Amino acid sequence: MTVYIEDCLIENFVVTFLILKCVTKLFKSQTSKPRLWLACIFASVVACLFPLLHLPNGVMIICKILVGVLIVAIAFKNKMLASFVAFLLFTALYAGINLLVYYFAYGTLNVTDNFPTYILLAILLVTYYFITSCVKLFKKNMTINCFVYEVKIVNGGQEYFVQGFLDSGNTLLDQDSTAICIINFKVFNMLYKHISLENLLAKNYQGLTDPHYVKSKFASGGANLLVFTVDKMWIKINNQQRQFANAKLGLSYAKFGKNFGADMLLNINMFVN
């Protein structure tokens, strides 16, 4: 029985700690270590007492919800409601993953005897890594999406639609002080299907308007960029189309599409004028 209590204390302390850490990473909440540890100790002690109470299922659920409120109140000072909702969601996610692993191991969801403590702790740590990685990816995508705009390019009577990322590091200006947007080879090939990569390497720019080179520095790197002119370009900003005649595009071979979720780096000067 002593071993069971020790295991229960350890397991519930660790799972509560990891869940609260997930909440802090999601909201960037500030909390002190003493508050965090106190919340985890409280949760682990209460978890050991619950089986001794023999409460009806409905009452037990209400008590666990109230305990969750107290855990969040002990751990955090601000964003109480959001933190509590996130705490419940992460708790359900941890429990669900534990049940999933148990089902794969024993072929049933009827949990009669859980995993040994060391296996359960390993599952909790792997789950924590998985959740925090997903949170990080989600926040990164949310941040990137705030700076992604719909762009329409008109050249030679044809319309082309691409996604453009507002790169605050791209302040590149041409010799006539016109802002230059950076495109990758995917967009270039869409605009000029007759110009192959071999043609570019051989500096055969037949079909380009005013091709020339400009030395550049931007988020995905720096190089001498091939710059040319297209007839028109529209950027959709706040549901309004902003038009740029004789827009300048610079070709980069960097694969920034994977990092920014867009095939064009927009120039910050086009948003401040």
Side-chain angles (χ1 to χ4, degrees):
M1 184 65 181
T2 302
V3 174
Y4 169 78
I5 293 177
E6 292 176 351
D7 290 346
C8 184
L9 288 171
I10 294 172
E11 293 168 3
N12 283 280
F13 181 93
V14 172
V15 72
T16 305
F17 178 81
L18 295 179
I19 291 173
L20 292 176
K21 289 294 289 183
C22 288
V23 176
T24 60
K25 287 184 177 295
L26 180 62
F27 297 113
K28 293 185 178 180
S29 303
Q30 299 295 328
T31 183
S32 63
K33 290 182 178 179
R35 292 178 67 96
L36 196 61
W37 292 341
L38 181 60
C40 295
I41 293 172
F42 171 74
S44 58
V45 171
V46 172
C48 292
L49 295 177
F50 268 142
L52 304 177
L53 300 179
H54 302 291
L55 298 174
N57 290 335
V59 177
M60 181 67 74
I61 292 174
I62 295 174
C63 289
K64 288 184 176 181
I65 293 175
L66 294 176
V67 169
V69 173
L70 291 176
I71 291 172
V72 172
I74 294 172
F76 304 108
K77 293 181 179 179
N78 302 316
K79 300 180 180 179
M80 294 293 299
L81 180 58
S83 297
F84 175 67
V85 172
F87 179 83
L88 291 181
L89 293 176
F90 285 131
T91 300
L93 185 57
Y94 271 91
I97 293 177
N98 184 43
L99 284 174
L100 182 64
V101 175
Y102 188 91
Y103 178 79
F104 284 140
Y106 298 105
T108 179
L109 294 177
N110 185 20
V111 181
T112 56
D113 188 17
N114 210 342
F115 298 108
T117 299
Y118 66 92
I119 295 179
L120 184 60
L121 293 179
I123 295 174
L124 293 176
L125 292 174
V126 171
T127 303
Y128 173 76
Y129 175 78
F130 169 76
I131 292 176
T132 52
S133 298
C134 290
V135 169
K136 183 178 179 181
L137 180 61
F138 171 76
K139 295 178 73 173
K140 176 183 176 181
N141 289 335
M142 287 294 293
T143 301
I144 289 177
N145 288 337
C146 292
F147 297 95
V148 174
Y149 296 84
E150 295 179 9
V151 180
K152 180 174 72 172
I153 301 172
V154 176
N155 195 48
Q158 299 291 323
E159 294 184 352
Y160 307 90
F161 296 89
V162 298
Q163 296 288 325
F165 177 81
L166 177 56
D167 177 13
S168 60
N170 179 18
T171 58
L172 185 62
L173 300 177
D174 204 357
Q175 299 170 355
D176 59 358
S177 299
T178 303
I180 300 173
C181 293
I182 312 300
I183 62 172
N184 57 19
F185 185 74
K186 176 182 176 182
V187 175
F188 181 87
N189 186 248
M190 180 175 63
L191 296 173
Y192 304 97
K193 294 182 175 62
H194 64 284
I195 302 179
S196 65
L197 181 60
E198 290 76 13
N199 294 140
L200 291 175
L201 295 177
K203 296 187 177 181
N204 180 9
Y205 305 140
Q206 185 177 2
L208 293 183
T209 302
D210 188 25
H212 58 282
Y213 282 90
V214 173
K215 190 173 183 180
S216 67
K217 290 183 180 180
F218 47 94
S220 60
N224 288 324
L225 292 182
L226 170 63
V227 176
F228 53 92
T229 303
V230 294
D231 297 337
K232 295 179 182 179
M233 187 174 77
W234 280 267
I235 303 177
K236 187 176 182 180
I237 304 175
N238 297 328
N239 295 322
Q240 295 182 349
Q241 298 284 351
R242 182 175 296 183
Q243 178 179 328
F244 301 89
N246 299 318
K248 300 293 182 69
L249 301 180
L251 174 60
S252 171
Y253 298 101
K255 297 180 180 180
F256 50 78
K258 294 182 179 179
N259 294 326
F260 300 117
D263 294 312
M264 172 185 286
L265 298 182
L266 300 174
N267 196 301
I268 188 66
N269 293 292
M270 304 174 79
F271 288 76
V272 296
N273 294 333

